[in-house]
Amino acid sequence: MRRKVLITGANGLLGQHLTKLLLTKKNIEVFASGRGKDRLLEKGYNYISLDVSKKSEVDRVITSIQPDIIIHAAAISKVEDCENDNNNAILQNVSATNFLLNAGKSNALKQFIFVSTDFVFSGEKGMLTEEDRRDPPNFYGQTKLLAEDLVMQSWPFKTAIVRTCLVYGQVKDMSRTNIMLWVKNNLKKGNSIKVVNDQYRTPTYVKDLAQGCFLILDQEAEGIYHISGKDYLTPYTIALKVAKELNLPTNLITEVTANTFKENGKRPLKTGFNISKSKNILGYEPISFNKGLEEVVK
């Protein structure tokens, strides 16, 4: 039996890779949704323009499609944007999640997968497990915590939360960059860059994240899963690796601390994930950062 899967945020980094991955799976009919026009522009899926922050649009689309599964990847993820407009951040990240959950409840949804973030954690310790206490240091993290709480309530369908960390990769027509491309673009232009060496993350290759989402979908898994890379790195180390892989000058990269920058919205110093649960239960196995870097550069 074919299952209908609706992806929100399908124009983003994860959304495009999820769409491509699900197209390779038998018995899945893919409905990709995002704001404005389709950026992926490939064949085999249905694209719907959808603003998830508008309840009427959500209700109309869910009632029309009757999806079996929703993978909710749409969000305002830029920390500054959430700090500058708290109300819009709540609308886009919390209310939108609530609209989708309730529309699913009214339309016999079977599974809801929510994409969350390492920014629900304070940053005082790294290599976090799913059970570690959440304490967001910024408003973006707070909105994701509130949305997680909605997802974890009792619903007449299966729910799962995918927390991820510093996602990298390449896609068509990206309006936003990620750390690898930022380093590459600046060094190619001969620009010197300052990169922090006291923030720790487990960078996640976007194809691994998409695969993790699929494993949850395929196994109808419930609960919280940390889906990230396995290498515990600082942005400074990442920048050096990118420069060396591309034969770009490392002397343009200056090591600094997070205090060097006046940030609008505090970033957690240490996050990074313990992915044992995802490995043991889902069979999730990410590639190394070096391998991911080769893939992106290639």
Side-chain angles (χ1 to χ4, degrees):
M1 193 178 87
R2 290 197 91 191
R3 291 177 292 173
K4 294 179 181 176
V5 180
L6 172 68
I7 301 165
T8 71
N11 281 327
L13 182 58
L14 172 60
Q16 289 193 29
H17 282 276
L18 255 178
T19 302
K20 284 198 223 178
L21 176 64
L22 294 186
L23 284 176
T24 68
K25 308 298 178 184
K26 289 180 180 177
N27 301 323
I28 288 182
E29 188 177 357
V30 182
F31 292 83
S33 72
R35 285 193 173 188
K37 294 178 181 177
D38 182 10
R39 287 189 199 149
L40 184 57
L41 297 173
E42 291 190 11
K43 291 177 181 176
Y45 60 93
N46 309 276
Y47 183 81
I48 301 130
S49 180
L50 170 63
D51 182 346
V52 289
S53 70
K54 293 181 178 171
K55 184 179 183 297
S56 58
E57 279 193 37
V58 170
D59 289 343
R60 176 178 54 77
V61 168
I62 303 298
T63 304
S64 164
I65 295 171
Q66 296 281 307
D68 298 295
I69 300 150
I70 294 172
I71 304 178
H72 181 32
I76 293 183
S77 57
K78 215 172 172 186
V79 171
E80 292 84 358
D81 291 348
C82 293
E83 295 294 331
N84 291 336
D85 192 340
N86 288 181
N87 291 337
N88 192 46
I90 289 281
L91 178 63
Q92 301 288 343
N93 293 353
V94 186
S95 302
T97 306
N98 200 35
F99 297 155
L100 287 160
L101 286 162
N102 281 305
K105 185 179 179 180
S106 304
N107 288 278
L109 188 73
K110 294 180 178 65
Q111 190 180 15
F112 188 94
I113 300 168
F114 175 69
V115 181
S116 191
T117 173
D118 58 327
F119 280 25
V120 296
F121 295 109
S122 65
E124 288 167 22
K125 63 173 273 194
M127 303 311 285
L128 296 141
T129 70
E130 287 80 357
E131 289 75 36
D132 276 311
R133 181 174 169 270
R134 300 171 300 161
D135 185 16
N138 54 50
F139 200 76
Y140 165 59
Q142 286 176 37
T143 64
K144 283 295 194 175
L145 182 150
L146 291 169
E148 283 191 3
D149 287 347
L150 289 172
V151 176
M152 286 191 278
Q153 287 174 15
S154 181
W155 296 96
F157 44 80
K158 293 183 166 133
T159 61
I161 291 166
V162 176
R163 291 200 193 115
T164 193
C165 182
L166 196 63
V167 184
Y168 66 90
Q170 279 184 299
V171 287
K172 289 183 184 175
D173 188 23
M174 268 301 280
S175 57
R176 284 180 50 196
T177 187
N178 56 62
I179 184 166
M180 257 184 209
L181 302 178
W182 175 77
V183 171
K184 172 185 160 186
N185 293 339
N186 275 292
L187 297 184
K188 274 197 164 180
K189 291 174 187 169
N191 299 338
S192 57
I193 54 173
K194 293 178 181 178
V195 192
V196 299
N197 201 27
D198 60 347
Q199 287 180 349
Y200 289 84
R201 304 285 186 263
T202 44
T204 311
Y205 184 39
V206 67
K207 286 186 178 179
D208 285 336
L209 177 55
Q211 178 64 17
C213 292
F214 171 71
L215 290 170
I216 289 170
L217 179 160
D218 192 51
Q219 297 171 35
E220 297 183 11
E222 297 185 82
I224 302 170
Y225 293 90
H226 283 179
I227 301 286
S228 78
K230 54 190 174 184
D231 298 284
Y232 196 43
L233 304 168
T234 68
Y236 177 72
T237 309
I238 292 168
L240 289 177
K241 284 177 178 284
V242 172
K244 284 170 185 169
E245 183 68 29
L246 294 167
N247 293 315
L248 292 168
T250 56
N251 64 336
L252 292 173
I253 305 169
T254 304
E255 175 187 354
V256 296
T257 65
N259 291 332
T260 306
F261 304 105
K262 190 174 184 297
E263 291 182 320
N264 181 12
K266 187 184 174 189
R267 272 67 168 175
L269 269 185
K270 294 177 185 174
T271 63
F273 288 149
N274 179 327
I275 54 173
S276 300
K277 179 181 175 182
S278 296
K279 283 182 164 188
N280 296 336
I281 295 177
L282 303 173
Y284 172 69
E285 197 56 62
I287 61 175
S288 68
F289 180 78
N290 288 348
K291 180 70 179 159
L293 177 54
E294 282 174 28
E295 292 269 322
V296 172
V297 169
K298 185 174 70 183

